[in-house]
Amino acid sequence: MESTLTARDRVGVQDFVLLENYTSEAAFIENLRRRFGENLIYTYIGSVLVSVNPNKNLEIYSKAHMERYRGVSFYEISPHIYAVSDNTYRAMRTERRDHCILISGESGAGKTEASKKILQYYATTCPVTDNMSTLRDRLLQSNPVLEAFGNAKTLRNDNSSRFGKYMDVQFDFRGAPIGGHILNYLLEKSRVVHQNHGERNFHIFYQLLEGGEQDLLSKLGLERNAQKYQYLVKGCCPRVSSINDKNDWKTVRKALTVIGFHEDEVEDLLNIIASVLHLGNTQFGEGENGENQITTEPQLKYVSKVGTMNEQYPPPPNTHTTHTHYKVLDTRKLPSATKHGFEQFCINYCNEKLQQLFIELTLKSEQEEYEAEGITWELVKYFDNKIICDLVEEKHKGLISILDEECLRPGEPSDISFLEKLEDTLGGHAHFVTHKLANGKTRKVVSREEFKLIHYAGEVNYSVNGFLDKNNDLLYRNLKEVICQSDSQVLSQCFHREEVTDQKRPETAATQFKNSLAKLIEILRSKEPSYVRCIKPNDAKQSGRFDEALVRHQVKYLGLMENLRVRRAGFAYRRHYETFLQRYKSLCPGTWPNWQGRLADGVATLVQHLGYHPEEYKLGKTKIFIRFPKTLFSTEDALEARRPALVLTLQTSWRGYRERAKYLRIRQAVIQSAWRGMKSRQRARCRRHAVDIIRKFIKGFIYRRYERCPENEYFLDHQRFSFLMTLVRNPPKSVLDKSWPIPPPSLTEVSAHLCRLCMQNMMRAYCRRIQPEWKKQMEQKVVASQIFKDQKDSYPQSVPKLFVASRLNSEEFNLKVIQTLGNDKVKYGIAVTKYDRRGYKARPRQLLLTSSFAMLVAEAKLKQRIDYASLRSISVSSLSDGFMVLHVPSEDNMQKSDVVLQCDHVIEVVTKLATMADKKIKVNMSQERIKFAVARGKEGVIDFTSGPELKVANGKKGHLLVTAPKLNP
């Protein structure tokens, strides 16, 4: 931006804060005029963009221009709508906060075009995947639909938006657009049924008649002639030279499909549009008995196709049409000499609220920047229009509250009674004047049916005629019920069901507008704002014409001078140290050509050399603040004066550089030649060496079976080396790893010795690492392996299961039994089933093992004690059952007979018994049967068979029959 300051006398300054006489409105407008004359339609007020409508196409919106502004700092290049768009987008991604762009201006100032340019910029520059391309198209195609149903030709603008819209675009974490929605604000609904001379109805009516296919028009009962329809001829302007309704119809028809309208919904929509035209041609007359009746039946036939008329709800005599879906919020100019009504009162109230928000957020932004940079904030005096907003909206005492109260009070309220109540309530307010309250001079310009409000942008007279009727302009509930019961998908969704069934009196028009405006302000407060202020240069829509009086009034009501004064209250210019130093470093020998220290120190050195006075600047944490534009201008002029010398220095340096580069190229060629020769010789030596190695290897392989000789010594040495390196790189990882590389014949004996040493080392290391508990566990597992491996069917399943210290908790031991044992401690305990000698009756017992004997316990009684020394052997089957027989000497009078037991952990129990008895107990493994002593001279038999599940039963000949599943076939 600074690069254009030298041309400021011709094209003005790009930022109004750089105006020397910033308080002069004439200087402000002159700067606008100069730039407009050079087709420079954009100018900044700090971060606010002022846009003047050129009323012609400019070649500044191409994709190349978009790329030029993409990712570039806000002030680096000339002002543009793309700069605001990009700065807002990057701030949103960096700060992770919602942002908004507020576009304002009067009709014809270019607000709609500005919003289009912003959407086009995002659609082109934001990252978009294949799935998101549909969303991008919907964003772009929403504009033609909104304009068709919400825009119209007015005296000031051929494409005037008759609604205010808030478009919300959502982005994901990558910055890609993923969704959006649009809020519309209703203000002008009368345009459907009435237009001023020289104006048109909404575009869609003319587009349908001009562009619709003949079959479609016939189906809708329409003719291709706008003069045939009452709602389209009141403005006497059915055709406009700047509008091609036929082409626009094609665009809208395509856009409806893109944004997601189905064919049946489009059909409903077109029926509604046609029905509005037919309603306009519907006429009423008086019947024989004086009743109202419809005299144009053909129109009624087409209206009924929409599905809104039935026998239950006949049309009332005062049937009227309402534009129900699109809403209007337009910021118009405020000429003090013109009388205004209810609609303009709402518009001006909206302007007051937006101006209040604008100044408040601008001050907040300035104060936050000063505080962030450590600069002292100076209090700024400005006109706070809160007093005017309160005058309109204050509860119980505001103008809207008084209007609502007058509309709802019993009796016969009128516009004049409303005016009288205003005088009684607001008579002492400084910004409210009526004919009765005015002095002699003012009374001449305020009639008896008017009141005057002194807005921030000027004085406006409002005629009270129609205020009460328009404030009560509500659809009757029965009409809403008819619409909600329509077969049309579009019409049936115009009102919520709750709104129809709610018996409360609906809010008045002014209250609805106030509430919707409050919601909009709340939305805007929650976001970081950027501003685009649009200005219309003339009322004739001519390019190149600049109406100074018209522009002056817009500058005033848009609050641009107030905004400039707030922005200039402190410092006119601020830039990051890096940007400022990079531009002006050539003006100081201490910073040219490069500054190596801290940026703040470099800027301090530069401004001291330039002779800045302390009151002219302040150094913040990351920026320099310059108070007066003349300081910046003198710096820029010094840079411009320095340019010829700088160019000469650079040219001299360039010639020297070229000579040095030429010399270096020669030296480079010599060095490259030498380097290539050296590399070639190295490669040749490597190839010769490789050939010698390969030749030796091949000859050694041929003589590998012979005794060591010169022909095979290289090959044999390589074999030995390869074998040893393989061992080094991949030795066995554990004692269970039996892998070992195959050695060459000459190292067979060495390999066996190394393998043995390696295994011993691993075993020694493993034994050192093992814990006592794990050592005991492994010793028991070794005993179990010696006894049961390849002998018992359930052994493989028991290997991964750890043996436990005891299967019984200390609470399960009977205290009397523990006392009986005395010094003998229970080492292991388990619940078992004992089978009697006769009849094999099963009895629950506890088997307790001590260091010298085992015993069977039933509750508190010691049933049998078996010393390990007297235990002859243990018999178990080879199946997966849990039976075991403890064989005791028959001649021992202390023992009754052999003991038959069953438990769930037979391998663990037998291992524990063997370990306790120091492995002196013999364990017998039986395939089919186990014999055991029942009494002296008598024996019992347990027969074992395979089966699907474990069963124990009495068999033939007094045998015990055990059936067990076979786990390892």
Side-chain angles (χ1 to χ4, degrees):
M1 177 184 290
E2 290 83 353
S3 59
T4 63
L5 292 179
T6 53
R8 58 186 178 272
D9 292 337
R10 178 174 57 86
V11 301
V13 293
Q14 295 186 355
D15 193 334
F16 283 108
V17 297
L18 298 179
L19 281 176
E20 188 66 33
N21 190 7
Y22 69 92
T23 59
S24 170
E25 187 179 84
F28 188 99
I29 295 174
E30 176 61 19
N31 192 70
L32 269 182
R33 186 192 61 75
R34 287 181 182 179
R35 297 184 61 76
F36 180 76
E38 297 290 333
N39 286 328
L40 301 174
I41 64 172
Y42 295 119
T43 313
Y44 291 138
I45 305 178
S47 59
V48 177
L49 181 69
V50 179
S51 171
V52 182
N53 188 351
N55 289 308
K56 63 180 180 180
N57 292 324
L58 298 178
E59 300 299 324
I60 58 173
Y61 302 107
S62 65
K63 190 172 182 179
H65 280 84
M66 294 182 185
E67 291 298 328
R68 181 186 174 201
Y69 284 88
R70 185 176 182 180
V72 178
S73 179
F74 190 65
Y75 295 107
E76 284 187 17
I77 49 181
S78 56
H80 202 288
I81 191 72
Y82 292 159
V84 175
S85 306
D86 185 76
N87 186 67
T88 303
Y89 175 76
R90 287 189 293 112
M92 175 197 70
R93 295 197 62 186
T94 303
E95 301 169 6
R96 300 290 180 185
R97 294 185 60 185
D98 291 343
H99 284 248
C100 68
I101 301 176
L102 190 61
I103 307 173
S104 59
E106 72 165 72
S107 179
K111 301 184 298 298
T112 300
E113 288 301 315
S115 65
K116 287 182 184 179
K117 301 305 181 188
I118 293 172
L119 284 180
Q120 289 170 358
Y121 180 81
Y122 290 148
T124 303
T125 61
C126 292
V128 177
T129 63
D130 293 338
N131 294 332
M132 293 177 182
S133 60
T134 301
L135 175 63
R136 179 192 63 187
D137 294 339
R138 287 185 175 184
L139 285 175
L140 293 177
Q141 293 301 321
S142 64
N143 264 318
V145 177
L146 289 175
E147 290 181 10
F149 287 88
N151 288 26
K153 184 226 183 284
T154 65
L155 293 175
R156 300 176 179 177
N157 184 1
D158 289 348
N159 189 32
S160 176
S161 298
R162 312 314 298 161
F163 67 102
K165 64 182 176 183
Y166 175 81
M167 179 174 288
D168 192 346
V169 182
Q170 289 110 25
F171 298 83
D172 64 8
F173 66 97
R174 296 171 298 178
I178 58 173
H181 68 271
I182 300 172
L183 299 178
N184 305 297
Y185 296 90
L186 172 65
L187 192 63
E188 184 184 44
K189 55 190 176 182
S190 60
R191 180 167 294 273
V192 175
V193 297
H194 176 76
Q195 307 90 43
N196 294 326
H197 185 78
E199 297 189 353
R200 294 207 312 176
N201 210 322
F202 295 97
H203 293 327
I204 187 62
F205 297 109
Y206 307 96
Q207 292 171 357
L208 174 60
L209 295 180
E210 288 293 326
E213 299 81 0
Q214 189 59 48
D215 292 344
L216 174 62
L217 295 181
S218 300
K219 183 179 178 181
L220 298 175
L222 299 176
E223 299 181 38
R224 200 183 299 279
N225 185 357
Q227 300 287 354
K228 298 275 187 179
Y229 301 99
Q230 292 297 316
Y231 285 169
L232 305 183
V233 298
K234 295 186 177 182
C236 301
C237 188
R239 295 181 183 274
V240 182
S241 59
S242 62
I243 298 176
N244 190 325
D245 292 314
K246 187 173 184 179
N247 288 343
D248 290 345
W249 166 255
K250 296 177 182 178
T251 302
V252 171
R253 192 65 184 83
K254 178 183 176 182
L256 286 171
T257 303
V258 172
I259 64 177
F261 274 78
H262 300 296
E263 284 300 320
D264 54 345
E265 293 174 326
V266 174
E267 185 177 348
D268 278 350
L269 199 59
L270 297 181
N271 278 329
I272 295 170
I273 297 169
S275 297
V276 171
L277 295 178
H278 288 304
L279 277 175
N281 286 359
T282 302
Q283 298 180 7
F284 297 91
E286 186 174 341
E288 296 178 357
N289 298 322
E291 77 280 4
N292 289 335
Q293 66 179 15
I294 296 175
T295 61
T296 51
E297 292 296 333
Q299 281 74 22
L300 193 61
K301 178 183 69 172
Y302 290 106
V303 172
S304 64
K305 285 186 178 182
V306 184
T308 60
M309 301 186 68
N310 53 43
E311 296 179 358
Q312 266 189 313
Y313 296 100
N318 58 342
T319 299
H320 63 282
T321 303
T322 305
H323 192 213
T324 60
H325 205 63
Y326 286 92
K327 304 182 180 180
V328 179
L329 177 61
D330 202 355
T331 50
R332 306 284 185 85
K333 61 184 289 188
L334 309 178
S336 58
T338 306
K339 298 179 182 179
H340 293 288
F342 179 77
E343 292 86 355
Q344 192 64 44
F345 165 75
C346 292
I347 293 172
N348 295 347
Y349 165 49
C350 174
N351 288 336
E352 290 286 355
K353 293 293 289 184
L354 293 178
Q355 174 67 10
Q356 182 186 28
L357 177 69
F358 176 55
I359 294 297
E360 177 185 333
L361 295 182
T362 301
L363 278 173
K364 179 183 175 184
S365 174
E366 284 287 292
Q367 187 171 0
E368 287 177 350
E369 183 178 16
Y370 277 52
E371 291 175 352
E373 291 294 324
I375 304 296
T376 303
W377 171 253
E378 300 175 3
L379 186 63
V380 178
K381 293 183 180 180
Y382 67 98
F383 173 66
D384 187 355
N385 65 336
K386 182 178 184 300
I387 186 173
I388 303 175
C389 295
D390 290 343
L391 171 66
V392 175
E393 67 185 8
E394 189 174 6
K395 197 172 183 180
H396 303 306
K397 295 190 294 185
L399 199 149
I400 291 177
S401 294
I402 297 172
L403 176 61
D404 288 351
E405 182 180 340
E406 188 68 12
C407 289
L408 300 178
R409 76 172 177 85
E412 296 183 0
S414 65
D415 295 327
I416 298 301
S417 65
F418 163 61
L419 181 60
E420 292 172 351
K421 192 162 189 176
L422 286 179
E423 291 173 339
D424 295 339
T425 309
L426 305 176
H429 201 286
H431 292 264
F432 177 81
V433 180
T434 66
H435 182 85
K436 178 180 177 181
L437 300 173
N439 55 34
K441 184 177 181 181
T442 306
R443 189 171 293 176
K444 295 179 181 179
V445 294
V446 181
S447 72
R448 298 181 184 275
E449 297 178 349
E450 292 179 351
F451 64 90
K452 175 186 291 186
L453 293 183
I454 304 175
H455 292 279
Y456 78 93
E459 300 176 356
V460 181
N461 290 7
Y462 299 99
S463 172
V464 297
N465 293 330
F467 256 68
L468 266 62
D469 289 339
K470 293 177 181 178
N471 195 41
N472 279 325
D473 186 10
L474 304 169
L475 281 175
Y476 295 112
R477 184 174 287 108
N478 62 343
L479 292 178
K480 293 181 182 179
E481 291 177 3
V482 171
I483 293 176
C484 287
Q485 294 179 9
S486 171
D487 297 333
S488 167
Q489 297 181 28
V490 178
L491 274 182
S492 62
Q493 297 177 15
C494 283
F495 301 101
H496 297 293
R497 298 288 178 180
E498 299 81 9
E499 185 179 350
V500 176
T501 58
D502 189 4
Q503 297 301 315
K504 294 181 180 179
R505 181 182 179 89
E507 293 178 336
T508 62
T511 299
Q512 289 180 23
F513 184 81
K514 182 180 76 171
N515 293 340
S516 64
L517 183 58
K519 291 179 181 178
L520 174 63
I521 296 297
E522 183 180 354
I523 292 173
L524 297 178
R525 285 185 187 279
S526 67
K527 306 181 186 303
E528 289 295 315
S530 298
Y531 300 95
V532 178
R533 299 304 208 194
C534 298
I535 292 178
K536 180 170 64 173
N538 60 78
D539 278 329
K541 310 168 193 173
Q542 294 180 0
S543 62
R545 178 180 168 187
F546 190 87
D547 187 335
E548 187 171 323
L550 177 64
V551 172
R552 178 180 292 105
H553 190 82
Q554 294 174 81
V555 168
K556 184 176 182 181
Y557 88 76
L558 284 173
L560 299 184
M561 294 301 298
E562 190 76 9
N563 176 243
L564 176 58
R565 205 164 60 81
V566 169
R567 190 70 166 76
R568 275 293 304 270
F571 295 87
Y573 175 90
R574 72 277 320 254
R575 285 294 184 273
H576 284 284
Y577 288 146
E578 183 178 6
T579 304
F580 186 82
L581 190 61
Q582 180 65 28
R583 180 164 185 80
Y584 300 113
K585 63 181 180 180
S586 61
L587 299 178
C588 174
T591 57
W592 175 257
N594 291 300
W595 175 258
Q596 302 299 330
R598 292 174 59 247
L599 292 175
D601 296 338
V603 172
T605 302
L606 176 59
V607 297
Q608 287 175 5
H609 178 78
L610 293 174
Y612 283 15
H613 298 295
E615 67 275 9
E616 292 181 318
Y617 74 98
K618 290 287 184 183
L619 296 181
K621 296 178 181 178
T622 64
K623 297 179 180 179
I624 178 174
F625 290 73
I626 297 178
R627 187 179 299 275
F628 306 116
K630 63 181 181 180
T631 305
L632 178 65
F633 294 159
S634 62
T635 304
E636 191 64 32
D637 292 340
L639 178 64
E640 189 66 22
R642 165 80 173 147
R643 287 188 190 280
L646 192 60
V647 169
L648 182 61
T649 301
L650 290 176
Q651 287 177 343
T652 304
S653 300
W654 175 249
R655 285 193 292 268
Y657 167 78
R658 293 182 62 183
E659 292 295 330
R660 288 193 299 273
K662 182 178 179 181
Y663 172 77
L664 289 175
R665 284 195 297 271
I666 296 173
R667 298 296 300 167
Q668 180 184 7
V670 174
I671 294 173
Q672 285 178 343
S673 178
W675 175 258
R676 285 193 293 268
M678 183 190 71
K679 295 299 289 184
S680 297
R681 290 189 291 273
Q682 285 182 347
R683 286 193 293 270
R685 285 195 297 270
C686 289
R687 285 195 294 268
R688 286 195 297 270
H689 180 68
V691 169
D692 293 339
I693 296 298
I694 294 172
R695 186 179 292 115
K696 289 181 181 180
F697 201 85
I698 294 174
K699 185 177 290 187
F701 181 78
I702 296 172
Y703 286 91
R704 69 186 184 281
R705 305 292 184 186
Y706 294 84
E707 293 294 331
R708 186 179 182 88
C709 61
E711 284 78 10
N712 65 8
E713 61 180 358
Y714 181 82
F715 180 79
L716 296 179
D717 290 343
H718 178 75
Q719 271 191 322
R720 294 189 187 97
F721 179 78
S722 298
F723 171 75
L724 294 175
M725 291 307 297
T726 300
L727 280 180
V728 170
R729 296 189 185 100
N730 300 297
K733 300 296 186 296
S734 68
V735 293
L736 298 179
D737 185 2
K738 303 301 182 182
S739 62
W740 193 262
I742 300 175
S746 60
L747 293 180
T748 302
E749 184 178 352
V750 173
S751 175
H753 186 60
L754 288 174
C755 182
R756 186 169 58 256
L757 290 175
C758 180
M759 191 59 63
Q760 289 176 355
N761 286 336
M762 287 193 295
M763 292 180 65
R764 189 178 295 110
Y766 180 80
C767 291
R768 282 198 300 267
R769 293 195 305 269
I770 195 168
Q771 299 295 325
E773 296 82 2
W774 187 247
K775 180 178 181 182
K776 183 178 179 181
Q777 184 74 217
M778 293 194 65
E779 288 174 348
Q780 293 179 2
K781 287 292 183 179
V782 170
V783 173
S785 174
Q786 293 170 350
I787 298 173
F788 295 103
K789 185 178 180 182
D790 299 328
Q791 298 294 323
K792 190 163 181 65
D793 198 20
S794 58
Y795 172 73
Q797 284 73 30
S798 72
V799 172
K801 298 177 181 177
L802 297 179
F803 292 161
V804 299
S806 177
R807 294 288 174 179
L808 298 176
N809 298 325
S810 59
E811 294 82 3
E812 297 180 81
F813 295 134
N814 190 277
L815 183 58
K816 190 176 291 185
V817 174
I818 299 299
Q819 292 173 348
T820 303
L821 292 176
N823 294 329
D824 292 321
K825 302 296 183 184
V826 176
K827 302 291 187 181
Y828 177 79
I830 188 172
V832 298
T833 302
K834 177 183 176 297
Y835 288 87
D836 289 349
R837 298 184 297 279
R838 295 181 180 84
Y840 301 114
K841 184 176 180 179
R843 298 182 185 278
R845 296 286 188 268
Q846 288 182 347
L847 177 62
L848 305 181
L849 305 183
T850 68
S851 58
S852 58
F853 61 87
M855 59 182 178
L856 285 173
V857 176
E859 296 181 353
K861 295 180 181 180
L862 180 61
K863 289 294 186 178
Q864 189 171 353
R865 170 175 170 156
I866 305 173
D867 292 328
Y868 298 145
S870 62
L871 183 60
R872 292 190 305 163
S873 63
I874 303 173
S875 295
V876 295
S877 77
S878 61
L879 300 180
S880 60
D881 60 275
F883 277 82
M884 62 181 173
V885 178
L886 307 181
H887 298 282
V888 298
S890 58
E891 60 274 7
D892 189 351
N893 294 328
M894 299 298 293
Q895 304 295 337
K896 299 176 182 180
S897 64
D898 292 348
V899 183
V900 180
L901 301 175
Q902 181 192 9
C903 66
D904 293 334
H905 305 279
V906 65
I907 294 177
E908 181 179 282
V909 173
V910 173
T911 302
K912 295 281 186 181
L913 280 168
T915 304
M916 299 284 186
D918 293 333
K919 306 178 186 177
K920 296 177 181 178
I921 301 175
K922 180 180 179 183
V923 180
N924 301 318
M925 202 70 59
S926 176
Q927 297 289 336
E928 297 179 354
R929 63 178 54 184
I930 297 176
K931 295 181 180 181
F932 60 93
V934 176
R936 293 181 181 178
K938 296 181 180 182
E939 66 179 13
V941 178
I942 305 175
D943 292 325
F944 295 93
T945 61
S946 299
E949 59 184 5
L950 180 65
K951 289 183 180 180
V952 181
N954 291 330
K956 297 178 181 180
K957 300 179 182 181
H959 293 188
L960 182 63
L961 180 61
V962 178
T963 304
K966 194 169 183 64
L967 302 179
N968 298 298

